[in-house]
Amino acid sequence: MTTPIKKVGVIGAGVMGKGIAAHLANCGIPSLLLDLERGTVGKALQDLPKRKPALLYDAADLALITPGSIDEDLAKMEGCDWVIEVIVEQLKPKQALYAKLDAVHRPGQIISSNTSGISWQLLTEGRTAQFKQHFCITHFFNPVRYLKLVELVGGADTQPEVLDRMERLLGETLGKGVVRAKDTPNFIANRIGVHAVMVALHQLAESKRCPAVVDRVMGPAMGRPKSAIFRTADLVGLDTLAHVADNTFAACPDDEAREVYRLPPFLKTMLAHNLLGEKSGSGFYTKTKDDSGERVILAYDVAQERYRPQAKIKTPSLGQAKDLEDVAVRIRTIAFADDDAGAIAWPLISESLVYAANRMPEIADDIVAIDRAMQWGFGWELGPFATWDALGVQRVVDRLAREGRAIPRLVMDLLAHGRTTFYETREGRRSFFTLAHTLQSVPTPSDWISLAAQKAGGGVVEANESAALVDLGDGVFCCEFRSKMNAIDEEMIDHMGRALDHVERNGVGLLFGNEGVNFCVGANLMLIYLEAQQQNWRKIEEIVRKFQGLCQRIRFSPKPVVAAPFQLTLGGGCEFVLAAHRVRAAAETYIGLVELGVGLVPAGAGCKNMLLHTEALCRAAHRSEDRIWMAPDDGGPFPKVRMAFEAIGYAKVATSAKEAQRIGYLLPTDHYTIDRDMLLADAKADLLALTPGYVPPIPRTDLLLPGHGGYLALVNAIRQARAQGAISDYDLHLGERLAHILTGSQHPNFHRATEEDVLDREREVFLSLCGEERTHARIQHMLMTGKPLRN
């Protein structure tokens, strides 16, 4: 039986080392973090809780990382089940460290390197047979918490069970997407990704375009991350990029695109002037202030070798793509456009497609490995082969031929076998074209659930523009949100009511989940704004009553309801989660009641259910031995109100599911899943576990609230904040209205309230705020800029 990995040794406390240790802590695995000096590790640990975006799910998890130094504590590595080396990316220091680790290596202990491209063969030169058998490469990507990819590389002597064991740990425990790569220079993702950046650099040298123009085209519009190409290069570091390019040039003499890896002269100039990107403060972009003192971001002019204001680009294809949600359609629209955006996109993307196809089977045995590496490691929405399909394989081939460019052998084989795409989907099952010229199913975990596959297989029970009810089997149904940005509208609310009807008659329980970018960004603000502008108060009240009624119906449904939130879960989306019987959240869930930012309050039972949640947290924290005379188990009427007020009043957004439990958006009984791909499967399992003997909650009539005294305590605190300039006049007004809802300030003292009492106040305050001009201004500003207004 394989020994579970209970403790990990991490050697190297730089950016990657501390990131790996932090993510191990996120997953509950203690680690010993070493560097040359103990002080270096101490500084790294001090920095971790301050990092933005956060590397830790919760700052308290820092306690799982034990600091040490290589000279004093290397022998302690013997007590670790896995030791990962994350030191400087140079062969000799790594080999010297491995010699020391070899001396303390115990049977069964796994040793790995986080190298981004040095071969297994070189790393293990001179090591014992036992060391080699237990040595592999586990290449994480930065930032470790957020990028899913880990490339797993073995060597000729690596035991197969070592690789299997690491793949299970990385995937099942750390939530990573594991791609088995070959022992080739820079493995998969960096080989393809750095090639794409180098092509862009050479084209920049030739075209003299502004980097911002290229990034505008090659970002989300083309299915790439917001950082696009040159901002990504700044984040990685231009020195690091140059290092990888130089290594590839030296190690790949037979690569047909080898010359691409030569550094263009302007990049050498930037390196000579220490323009390295984020780490030096300036790269392709630099931050400065204009004459009025406003912060501006300038772009590097490669022709004049100085910084200039960013140029802009506006083309018909970019305008069309802005309104297209289907990434394949967006990419086609721009890549084949007869405008400036197309002139930028086509050469860049076509070079990547050809290069990726020519790397088979050199760097991977199947196209899925390459596509997943680029999606998980570089944030591409579609990998190279899925992009071939999106553009149309034959259409790309025809254009390459017209331009006199060579067609990759793999592509010609595909067409010769009568196929027009690298991937095929039949009855919800996705297959890919193999090197053996056959179709093979895309590998997925046995219990993985795909809504797309369920729908393609005939699982849709009912659907409208905003939501669909999907049969997941075993009597479990999923209510899938699918409006734009999954915003809540009347169609969604009506559909969710019908979904509950169906499940209560025909099922065992209901899930709320989807496979979009975000779970739910909240209510359709435009709808509220237009009704408020027309002073249609009855319509607004009808919408609010309907929303409250739905959330109450979710809460008291005779069949269990489980919410499966992920990414942005804001406002009304959070209120759906608060109403559910159980939550299975993705670890990367950014959840909060943010309505005050647009001049409103939660009015879908959010205030009331937040009180119930914070009351539950107070009860969970209560210890009978701390009980004082006449103290209730939940700490009395005020603590839960204060906690709810702080969360809603300051529009707190949890940066992880674990932090959401501490704030109160999730309960201690809720769970989270680190690998989002397994979220629906885990949520379904949770629901089925709830089903036997399930009894819904009873409406509360005994909510102990503090009344006017509690109201004054909250209001005095926010008045002090206003006096200090921490909040605006309207923030103060909104805080007073929220305090009224939560405390029941019309009562002179603490009192027992029903759920309906709080719902009535929610609705009353929401309607009154809809009539205020400053709320209208906040909503309008959010709709126009996507940012809150502090008026």
Side-chain angles (χ1 to χ4, degrees):
M1 183 176 178
T2 304
T3 304
I5 291 177
K6 297 180 179 178
K7 187 174 183 179
V8 178
V10 182
I11 304 179
V15 171
M16 289 302 298
K18 67 185 177 186
I20 291 169
H23 194 61
L24 288 166
N26 291 337
C27 302
I29 299 177
S31 64
L32 176 60
L33 180 61
L34 306 185
D35 209 302
L36 292 174
E37 302 290 338
R38 187 180 291 268
T40 302
V41 182
K43 290 178 181 178
L45 296 185
Q46 288 175 2
D47 175 65
L48 271 179
K50 305 172 186 175
R51 292 298 299 272
K52 301 290 183 184
L55 296 181
L56 290 162
Y57 291 163
D58 193 304
D61 292 333
L62 196 65
L64 289 170
I65 306 174
T66 301
S69 71
I70 293 174
D71 287 343
E72 296 176 2
D73 302 297
L74 193 68
K76 295 179 182 178
M77 288 292 157
E78 189 176 0
C80 297
D81 305 300
W82 167 31
V83 176
I84 178 169
E85 166 270 306
V86 204
I87 65 171
V88 62
E89 187 69 355
Q90 294 174 14
L91 179 60
K92 289 188 181 298
K94 290 180 186 289
Q95 289 178 329
L97 175 62
Y98 297 158
K100 296 177 181 178
L101 287 173
D102 205 347
V104 297
H105 182 256
R106 62 172 172 80
Q109 182 188 62
I110 295 175
I111 308 287
S112 76
S113 173
N114 188 59
T115 179
S116 59
I118 302 175
S119 77
W120 185 98
Q121 194 69 34
L122 290 173
L123 291 172
T124 58
E125 280 183 359
R127 302 280 52 82
T128 63
Q130 177 178 279
F131 186 96
K132 290 181 178 181
Q133 289 168 2
H134 293 84
F135 183 83
C136 61
I137 292 166
T138 50
H139 179 212
F140 288 80
F141 280 67
N142 185 44
V144 176
R145 170 179 165 180
Y146 298 98
L147 288 183
K148 184 170 180 174
L149 179 64
V150 174
E151 292 175 315
L152 180 61
V153 184
D157 299 318
T158 308
Q159 293 178 348
E161 54 266 33
V162 167
L163 295 176
D164 292 342
R165 188 179 174 196
M166 284 308 301
E167 185 165 6
R168 285 194 300 272
L169 172 78
L170 293 167
E172 296 173 10
T173 304
L174 302 189
K176 292 300 177 183
V178 180
V179 169
R180 293 215 185 185
K182 294 186 176 183
D183 192 18
T184 56
N186 299 318
F187 313 130
I188 297 176
N190 278 344
R191 185 74 174 275
I192 303 296
V194 172
H195 170 270
V197 175
M198 295 306 297
V199 168
L201 290 173
H202 285 286
Q203 293 202 7
L204 190 69
E206 182 180 335
S207 69
K208 305 297 189 291
R209 287 190 179 98
C210 175
V213 168
V214 180
D215 277 353
R216 170 74 175 87
V217 174
M218 297 304 296
M222 286 292 290
R224 305 290 173 84
K226 289 182 179 179
S227 55
I229 295 175
F230 299 111
R231 175 62 180 144
T232 296
D234 277 358
L235 291 171
V236 170
L238 303 192
D239 54 341
T240 302
L241 178 67
H243 176 73
V244 174
D246 288 341
N247 283 350
T248 308
F249 184 85
C252 300
D254 298 325
D255 190 319
E256 80 283 356
R258 187 181 186 221
E259 288 302 311
V260 167
Y261 291 100
R262 286 190 188 275
L263 304 186
F266 82 81
L267 184 61
K268 293 180 180 179
T269 300
M270 293 180 74
L271 294 172
H273 288 87
N274 200 41
L275 303 179
L276 307 180
E278 191 89 349
K279 63 180 71 175
S280 67
S282 298
F284 284 105
Y285 298 96
T286 190
K287 297 175 184 176
T288 186
K289 290 185 178 179
D290 62 17
D291 294 340
S292 64
E294 292 293 318
R295 194 190 77 159
V296 294
I297 300 177
L298 305 178
Y300 188 74
D301 185 322
V302 299
Q304 300 187 23
E305 297 184 349
R306 66 186 182 92
Y307 289 99
R308 296 169 59 88
Q310 296 183 37
K312 298 186 183 300
I313 181 172
K314 187 175 182 180
T315 70
S317 63
L318 286 173
Q320 294 172 40
K322 183 176 63 175
D323 297 321
L324 297 172
E325 292 194 32
D326 188 322
V327 63
V329 179
R330 287 205 310 272
I331 292 173
R332 276 200 302 276
T333 299
I334 296 173
F336 291 127
D338 186 18
D339 60 21
D340 286 347
I344 292 170
W346 167 254
L348 295 177
I349 198 169
S350 60
E351 287 282 358
S352 287
L353 297 188
V354 169
Y355 190 73
N358 283 334
R359 299 283 68 74
M360 294 286 295
E362 177 193 347
I363 64 174
D365 287 326
D366 60 65
I367 65 171
V368 177
I370 292 179
D371 275 359
R372 285 179 169 174
M374 300 316 298
Q375 288 176 288
W376 295 341
F378 275 72
W380 294 10
E381 287 189 62
L382 298 179
F385 295 97
T387 303
W388 273 97
D389 289 354
L391 292 176
V393 174
Q394 188 63 61
R395 189 176 182 184
V396 174
V397 166
D398 291 345
R399 181 159 178 178
L400 292 173
R402 288 197 303 272
E403 295 172 354
R405 296 161 66 184
I407 313 301
R409 173 67 180 273
L410 179 63
V411 177
M412 298 305 294
D413 287 347
L414 176 83
L415 296 175
H417 283 79
R419 303 194 182 279
T420 57
T421 59
F422 282 102
Y423 292 94
E424 289 188 14
T425 300
R426 293 181 181 177
E427 297 181 351
R429 295 181 181 179
R430 198 169 186 229
S431 301
F432 66 95
F433 185 70
T434 71
L435 293 175
H437 308 150
T438 60
L439 286 181
Q440 182 176 319
S441 295
V442 173
T444 57
S446 58
D447 54 349
W448 176 65
I449 293 176
S450 163
L451 287 180
Q454 294 295 121
K455 290 186 290 185
V460 178
V461 177
E462 180 190 341
N464 62 22
E465 291 296 317
S466 299
L469 184 64
V470 183
D471 189 344
L472 300 186
D474 302 313
V476 175
F477 295 84
C478 179
C479 183
E480 175 197 31
F481 305 157
R482 58 184 197 178
S483 60
K484 187 171 183 178
M485 298 184 72
N486 292 335
I488 301 165
D489 56 23
E490 287 192 272
E491 280 194 334
M492 182 184 290
I493 292 173
D494 290 341
H495 183 276
M496 292 172 72
R498 292 194 298 274
L500 286 165
D501 289 339
H502 182 86
V503 168
E504 289 169 9
R505 289 193 308 265
N506 307 299
V508 301
L510 181 67
L511 293 183
F512 291 148
N514 64 79
E515 294 173 334
V517 176
N518 297 302
F519 176 74
C520 178
V521 297
N524 184 334
L525 271 181
M526 179 61 78
L527 173 64
I528 299 297
Y529 179 72
L530 292 176
E531 298 293 353
Q533 286 287 296
Q534 296 170 19
Q535 299 184 11
N536 196 345
W537 313 127
R538 286 189 177 181
K539 180 62 176 179
I540 295 175
E541 183 175 15
E542 176 189 326
I543 293 170
V544 174
R545 282 187 181 276
K546 189 181 289 187
F547 190 19
Q548 286 184 332
L550 174 63
C551 288
Q552 286 294 84
R553 188 170 173 201
I554 291 168
R555 175 165 150 73
F556 299 116
S557 172
K559 302 292 177 69
V561 177
V562 173
F566 58 89
Q567 292 293 314
L568 292 181
T569 304
L570 304 176
C574 179
E575 290 181 281
F576 284 147
V577 171
L578 290 168
H581 304 131
R582 186 66 52 84
V583 180
R584 169 63 73 161
E588 299 300 338
T589 296
Y590 316 126
I591 184 172
L593 294 169
V594 296
E595 286 85 349
L596 265 73
V598 291
L600 297 169
V601 293
C607 294
K608 183 265 296 180
N609 285 335
M610 194 64 190
L611 282 173
L612 296 177
H613 271 225
T614 53
E615 179 186 72
L617 285 187
C618 289
R619 289 189 187 280
H622 175 78
R623 300 193 311 165
S624 58
E625 58 268 31
D626 293 339
R627 188 183 183 98
I628 60 173
W629 182 67
M630 292 296 289
D633 290 346
D634 66 356
F638 189 69
K640 59 175 173 280
V641 168
R642 177 182 52 79
M643 290 175 65
F645 181 84
E646 289 175 353
I648 303 170
Y650 290 97
K652 287 184 179 179
V653 176
T655 59
S656 69
K658 191 166 187 178
E659 186 182 18
Q661 286 181 312
R662 181 168 53 78
I663 295 172
Y665 295 132
L666 304 185
L667 293 172
T669 51
D670 294 326
H671 304 289
Y672 60 88
T673 293
I674 297 174
D675 181 0
R676 186 190 147 184
D677 287 344
M678 296 305 296
L679 181 61
L680 288 176
D682 290 347
K684 179 182 176 182
D686 288 348
L687 193 151
L688 290 172
L690 278 176
T691 300
Y694 177 74
V695 177
I698 298 171
R700 291 284 300 276
T701 59
D702 60 345
L703 260 174
L704 187 61
L705 300 181
H708 193 66
Y711 171 81
L712 290 177
L714 294 176
V715 168
N716 284 337
I718 57 175
R719 284 175 180 167
Q720 289 179 13
R722 177 67 193 105
Q724 295 166 2
I727 63 175
S728 70
D729 284 337
Y730 201 51
D731 289 332
L732 173 60
H733 173 66
L734 293 168
E736 290 172 343
R737 303 301 287 142
L738 175 64
H740 165 66
I741 296 171
L742 297 176
T743 62
S745 63
Q746 71 273 29
H747 295 271
N749 299 306
F750 68 85
H751 60 285
R752 302 281 180 182
T754 67
E755 294 190 28
E756 288 300 322
D757 292 336
V758 185
L759 292 176
D760 289 343
R761 291 196 294 274
E762 273 187 6
R763 196 167 57 252
E764 166 211 328
V765 171
F766 186 92
L767 285 166
S768 70
L769 293 174
C770 282
E772 302 217 19
E773 288 299 325
R774 287 179 291 183
T775 286
H776 296 182
R778 287 195 173 198
I779 295 176
Q780 185 180 40
H781 192 269
M782 178 62 73
L783 290 171
M784 293 177 65
T785 69
K787 298 177 181 178
L789 172 68
R790 297 292 299 279
N791 56 353

